[in-house]
């Protein structure tokens, strides 16, 4: 029987617990969920499979009329309400358990779905169709009195439920006249009753997230937006190793039918640094501590040599890129890719992102384990590599596959590595090393100011001796390379607004790449623009653009990678950590002070 599915869109909610995640659409259908980890097999894949064979988990309301969904405030619990034409309805509560138990964080590979009646006698059918091996394998199904098992290659899933098993297996409509509970997870027997377990897990999960959000240091304005962004960033942490993924999806096109379809379910060192920095700005340092565990492994194993721009969440170096031809892709806009060739690239900004990500651990007295001289010695090896390669061609931060240049953004991060090492050395009382790294930072600084400046464009260009413009030049102020009131930086902002802005939105660069010129605006670039405008004194313009970006979020407050300037539609992988980082940074920079109201 065919499931009632609408055209896929990114009005999705994210639930998760730092072990796995699931994306749920406006009608309460699970359309994406990878197990046993973020970059694993999507056991629900309807987001990328428009066929009748799509793997999804839906609660279909007979005579469906409308739906609405929202998060339980200050939590990662999602509520979806479905109504029929007579006003009868149900509410679906979705969450992944996460709470403290026995002095540790309990975060099982479990999705809990609770259904309650809102009014009347609504009829519902449960469409529960997991698949394995990227949708190629239909599982063997077995049943018990209160559970269903889905047996596939490499993993078996079990759904424990107090709903009628026969109706679920036959996908038959039935009257919902009492609360129903569904617990999807590993093939394990519950230790307690189904309803009792689901209720207790929901209460404890809600309490965990409310306690977590309560500890945040929020700006006065836009608090709900910042809380939602912060929870989303937290859910992007794979807590077992400390890796932070760039997004939960693969192959959502950056623009319609563009072919710019990539797998973002991995840990980019650049993106992870900005996630850590954004959360630190609102006093959430636990994520940084987890990430530093993962990052330290990368640093030590590199032995002062080449470091990849990204790795798998388990530190996998090999992420071979392949196209899955049996999946049509998001709205039929393939290809669907798994793996990412960018792991093979040379992107020299990575060394600066490592040092920037690690530097706070030498200065912050709140941390359970501060870094010291041993960690500094390992970090110096990264700095030496940064200095060796800062003025050599690379793929750049945008991972250009067929063009290598000496990118300004890469040199800028090389400067940041040396500058932060000098500051760390001073904190550790190592005067000779502080002098050494200050000298190297100044060497790079002079080269950038001299060779990245374009007299023709009256702006810092995207490469040494080049003339093309790139929004990454805006990072010069963010990493404190240049005074934002410096006439050269102000002129660069003006030039970028003229060449890369589509109204309030901003594209990444102006030169054509492997796929031509970018069609959509890259959200983080728009947020960099907001930050730069605020720094140079154009705060009212920055606030105006920020308010528009807030309206560009989906109804649940989430952002993808890109925004189409003409249609306002979201494109690119989702939810994009870079975009949620920009939201937090902008709110913190632009908000009025708490002193104005207390």
């Amino acid at each position: 029987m065919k499931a009632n599915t609408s055209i896929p869109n990114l009005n999705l909610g994210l639930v998760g617990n730092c072990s796995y995640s699931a994306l749920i659409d406006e009608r309460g259908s699970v359309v994406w969920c990878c197990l046993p980890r973020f970059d694993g097999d999507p056991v629900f894949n309807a987001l990328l499979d428009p066929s009748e064979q799509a793997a999804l988990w839906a609660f279909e309301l007979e005579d469906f009329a409308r739906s609405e969904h929202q998060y339980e405030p200050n939590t990662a619990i999602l509520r979806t309400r479905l109504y029929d034409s007579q006003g009868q309805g149900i509410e679906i509560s979705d969450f992944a358990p996460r709470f403290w138990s026995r002095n540790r964080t309990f975060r099982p590979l479990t999705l809990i779905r609770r259904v309650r009646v809102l009014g009347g006698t609504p009829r519902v059918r449960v469409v529960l169709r997991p698949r394995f091996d990227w949708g190629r394998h239909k599982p063997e199904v077995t049943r018990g009195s209160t559970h269903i098992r889905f047996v596939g290659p490499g993993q078996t899933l079990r759904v424990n439920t107090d709903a009628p098993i026969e109706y679920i297996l036959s996908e038959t409509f039935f009257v919902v006249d009492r609360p129903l509970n569904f617990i999807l997870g590993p093939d394990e027997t519950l230790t307690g009753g189904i309803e009792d377990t689901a209720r207790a897990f929901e209460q404890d999960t809600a309490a965990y997230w409310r306690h977590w959000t309560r500890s945040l240091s929020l700006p006065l304005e836009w608090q709900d937006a910042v809380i939602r962004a912060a929870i989303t960033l937290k859910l992007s942490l794979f807590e077992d190793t400390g890796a932070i993924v760039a997004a939960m999806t693969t192959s959502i096109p950056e623009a319609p039918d563009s072919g710019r379809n990539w797998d973002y379910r991995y840990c980019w060192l650049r993106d992870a640094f900005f996630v850590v920095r954004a959360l630190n700005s609102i006093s959430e340092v636990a994520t940084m501590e987890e990430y530093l565990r993962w990052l330290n492994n990368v640093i030590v194993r590199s032995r002062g040599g080449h470091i990849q721009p990204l790795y798998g969440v388990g530190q996998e170096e090999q992420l071979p890129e392949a196209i899955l031809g049996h999946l049509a892709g998001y709205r039929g806009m393939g290809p669907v890719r798994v793996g990412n060739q960018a792991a093979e690239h040379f992107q020299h900004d990575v060394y600066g992102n490592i040092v920037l990500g690690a530097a706070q651990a030498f200065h912050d007295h709140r941390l359970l384990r501060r870094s010291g001289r041993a960690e500094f010695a390992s970090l110096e090896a990264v700095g030496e590599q940064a200095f060796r390669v800062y003025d050599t061609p690379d793929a750049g931060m945008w991972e250009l596959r067929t063009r290598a240049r000496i990118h300004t953004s890469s040199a800028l991060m090389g400067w940041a590595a040396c500058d932060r090492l000098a500051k760390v050395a001073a904190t550790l009382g190592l005067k000779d090393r502080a002098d050494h790294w200050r000298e190297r930072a100044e060497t790079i600084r002079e080269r950038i100011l001299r060779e990245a400046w374009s007299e023709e464009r009256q702006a810092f260009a995207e490469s040494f001796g080049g003339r093309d413009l790139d929004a990454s030049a805006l990072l010069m102020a963010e990493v404190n390379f240049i005074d934002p009131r410096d006439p050269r930086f102000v002129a660069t902002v003006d030039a970028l607004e003229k060449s890369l802005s589509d109204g309030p939105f901003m594209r990444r660069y102006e030169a054509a790449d492997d796929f031509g010129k970018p069609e959509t605006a890259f959200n983080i670039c728009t947020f960099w623009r907001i930050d730069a405008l605020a720094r140079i004194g154009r705060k009212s313009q920055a606030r105006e653009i920020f308010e528009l970006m807030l309206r560009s979020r989906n109804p649940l407050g989430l952002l993808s990678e890109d925004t189409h300037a003409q249609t306002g539609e979201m494109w690119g992988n989702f939810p994009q950590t870079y975009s949620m980082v920009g939201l937090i940074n902008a709110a913190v920079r632009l908000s009025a002070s708490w002193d104005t109201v207390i």
Side-chain angles (χ1 to χ4, degrees), residues 375-396:
E375 290 80 7
F376 178 65
S378 296
L379 210 57
E380 280 198 294
V382 175
E384 294 292 351
Q385 177 71 354
F387 189 76
R388 277 194 294 270
V389 301
Y390 83 88
D391 60 351
T392 60
D394 72 342

Side-chain angles (χ1 to χ4, degrees), residues 399-411:
E399 299 170 352
L400 303 173
R401 298 189 171 208
T402 59
R403 185 178 74 210
R405 297 177 180 173
I406 302 174
H407 287 93
T408 302
S409 58
S410 296

Side-chain angles (χ1 to χ4, degrees), residues 321-372:
E321 190 173 296
I323 291 177
L324 304 179
H326 67 286
L327 294 174
Y330 181 74
R331 299 189 187 174
M333 299 178 186
V336 172
R337 288 187 171 93
V338 58
N340 200 304
Q341 185 192 346
E344 304 170 12
H345 291 180
F346 286 80
Q347 295 177 27
H348 298 156
D349 67 315
V350 68
Y351 306 104
N353 289 310
I354 289 173
V355 177
L356 286 167
Q360 184 169 337
F362 294 88
H363 306 288
D364 196 329
H365 290 223
R366 295 172 297 173
L367 303 185
L368 295 176
R369 183 180 180 277
R370 290 176 61 195
S371 295

Side-chain angles (χ1 to χ4, degrees), residues 89-90 115-124 162-164 167 174-180:
I90 61 171
V115 178
R116 71 180 183 93
V117 179
L118 295 174
T121 55
R123 277 171 37 97
V124 173
D162 50 13
Y167 291 154
F174 65 96
V175 174
V176 178
D177 55 4
R178 58 184 171 84
L180 302 175

Side-chain angles (χ1 to χ4, degrees), residues 143-458:
R143 61 181 291 176
S145 58
T146 58
H147 74 264
I148 305 170
R149 296 170 70 247
F150 299 91
V151 183
Q155 65 177 317
T156 297
L157 300 177
R158 176 193 289 246
V159 175
N160 293 285
T161 181
D162 50 13
I165 297 293
E166 187 59 43
Y167 291 154
I168 297 172
L169 292 175
S170 62
E171 297 185 358
T172 298
F173 279 99
F174 65 96
V175 174
V176 178
D177 55 4
R178 58 184 171 84
L180 302 175
N181 299 275
F182 301 79
I183 303 175
L184 170 69
D187 187 21
E188 300 170 355
T189 302
L190 289 180
T191 58
I194 294 171
E195 183 174 12
D196 290 343
T197 299
R199 183 192 308 110
F201 280 11
E202 180 177 358
Q203 291 171 349
D204 290 345
T205 298
Y208 168 85
W209 285 112
R210 288 176 180 137
H211 177 79
W212 186 84
T213 56
R214 185 183 177 192
S215 69
L216 300 178
S217 176
L218 298 175
L220 173 63
E221 299 180 85
W222 309 295
Q223 292 183 47
D224 290 339
V226 171
I227 288 172
R228 185 53 48 203
I231 291 175
T232 303
L233 294 182
K234 184 68 173 181
L235 294 180
S236 300
L237 168 70
F238 185 70
E239 200 164 47
D240 184 52
T241 64
I244 298 170
V245 295
M248 295 300 178
T249 60
T250 177
S251 305
I252 308 298
E254 293 179 13
D257 294 305
S258 64
R260 299 173 185 264
N261 299 15
W262 315 111
D263 191 350
Y264 276 10
R265 302 170 303 146
Y266 308 110
C267 185
W268 267 260
L269 277 68
R270 175 193 318 113
D271 300 51
F273 155 65
F274 282 104
V275 168
V276 165
R277 186 176 185 181
L279 289 176
N280 288 351
S281 74
I282 53 175
S283 298
E284 204 282 337
V285 297
T287 299
M288 177 180 68
E289 292 184 288
E290 298 290 348
Y291 173 63
L292 288 178
R293 288 192 297 110
W294 185 89
L295 184 62
N296 189 52
N297 279 285
V298 172
I299 292 170
V300 171
R301 73 188 289 179
S302 73
R303 301 184 185 278
H306 169 67
I307 296 178
Q308 297 175 191
L310 70 149
Y311 295 84
V313 297
Q315 287 191 66
E316 293 83 1
E317 293 183 346
Q318 304 299 318
L319 301 173
E321 190 173 296
I323 291 177
L324 304 179
H326 67 286
L327 294 174
Y330 181 74
R331 299 189 187 174
M333 299 178 186
V336 172
R337 288 187 171 93
V338 58
N340 200 304
Q341 185 192 346
E344 304 170 12
H345 291 180
F346 286 80
Q347 295 177 27
H348 298 156
D349 67 315
V350 68
Y351 306 104
N353 289 310
I354 289 173
V355 177
L356 286 167
Q360 184 169 337
F362 294 88
H363 306 288
D364 196 329
H365 290 223
R366 295 172 297 173
L367 303 185
L368 295 176
R369 183 180 180 277
R370 290 176 61 195
S371 295
R373 293 194 176 192
E375 290 80 7
F376 178 65
S378 296
L379 210 57
E380 280 198 294
V382 175
E384 294 292 351
Q385 177 71 354
F387 189 76
R388 277 194 294 270
V389 301
Y390 83 88
D391 60 351
T392 60
D394 72 342
M397 71 179 301
W398 304 124
E399 299 170 352
L400 303 173
R401 298 189 171 208
T402 59
R403 185 178 74 210
R405 297 177 180 173
I406 302 174
H407 287 93
T408 302
S409 58
S410 296
L412 174 67
M413 288 301 170
W415 169 85
C418 297
D419 176 76
R420 297 324 192 258
L421 284 168
K423 291 179 170 65
V424 170
T427 295
L428 296 175
L430 303 173
K431 184 179 183 304
D432 289 347
R433 302 312 297 162
D435 292 342
H436 170 80
W437 289 112
R438 273 194 292 267
E439 180 181 338
R440 291 201 158 181
E442 188 57 30
T443 297
I444 300 176
R445 174 182 168 80
E446 290 176 357
R447 287 284 303 277
I448 294 174
L449 293 177
R450 182 173 66 251
E451 299 187 39
W453 177 257
S454 169
E455 280 293 330
E456 176 191 354
R457 303 297 298 273
Q458 284 296 292

